[in-house]
Amino acid sequence: MAGLAEKTCVPCRGGVPPLTSEQIKPLAAQVENWHVINNHHIEKEFKFPDFKTALDFTNKVGAIAEEQGHHPDIYLAWGKVGVKIWTHKIDGLTESDFILAAKIDKA
C-alpha cells in the first residue's frame, strides 16, 4: 500500500461529508506532529534558523500545493512557518488533507 506522500490529492466537488473522528485517527497517525483541531483542520508549525530559510520552505509548500490543486493557509514569520489544512468546500477534513500534509513533510 502506498504511503500518503505517494498518493495524489483528489479535488473535492462538495456534497461529501467530512471525515469522522474515527476516520481521522488512522490518517493522523501517518503524519508526524500534525495536530488535529476539533476534527476540522490539521496544523503544524515548522521552525527555521532565519527568515530566508522559512521563506524558501514557504515557497516549496506553495509549489506542492499548486501541483496538488489543494491549498493550505500558510503563515510566515521570522524563523517559523505555520501550515493549516482543511477542505474548504466541505468545511472539514478529507484524506487529501493528510496527503498534502505528508507531502509537505517531505519538502
Side-chain angles (χ1 to χ4, degrees):
M1 177 159 84
L4 287 173
E6 284 71 47
K7 292 184 175 184
T8 301
C9 292
V10 177
C12 181
R13 305 280 183 234
V16 297
L19 296 175
T20 66
S21 60
E22 291 306 309
Q23 293 169 313
I24 290 169
K25 286 177 187 174
L27 294 168
Q30 296 178 62
V31 290
E32 193 172 332
N33 297 319
W34 284 87
H35 304 284
V36 177
I37 309 299
N38 298 325
N39 293 327
H40 175 266
H41 61 274
I42 55 175
E43 60 186 30
K44 183 174 182 177
E45 185 173 275
F46 298 84
K47 302 279 188 183
F48 299 94
D50 54 40
F51 185 82
K52 182 181 181 331
T53 308
L55 178 60
D56 290 344
F57 178 76
T58 300
N59 288 326
K60 285 180 189 174
V61 171
I64 293 166
E66 274 298 300
E67 174 188 286
Q68 293 298 307
H70 195 55
H71 302 96
D73 290 355
I74 306 170
Y75 305 94
L76 170 64
W78 194 99
K80 65 183 174 182
V81 175
V83 180
K84 183 189 290 189
I85 306 171
W86 76 96
T87 300
H88 294 78
K89 196 75 129 177
I90 63 166
D91 197 27
L93 290 167
T94 65
E95 182 184 39
S96 290
D97 300 310
F98 293 93
I99 292 169
L100 183 60
K103 288 181 178 298
I104 290 169
D105 280 344
K106 288 182 74 174

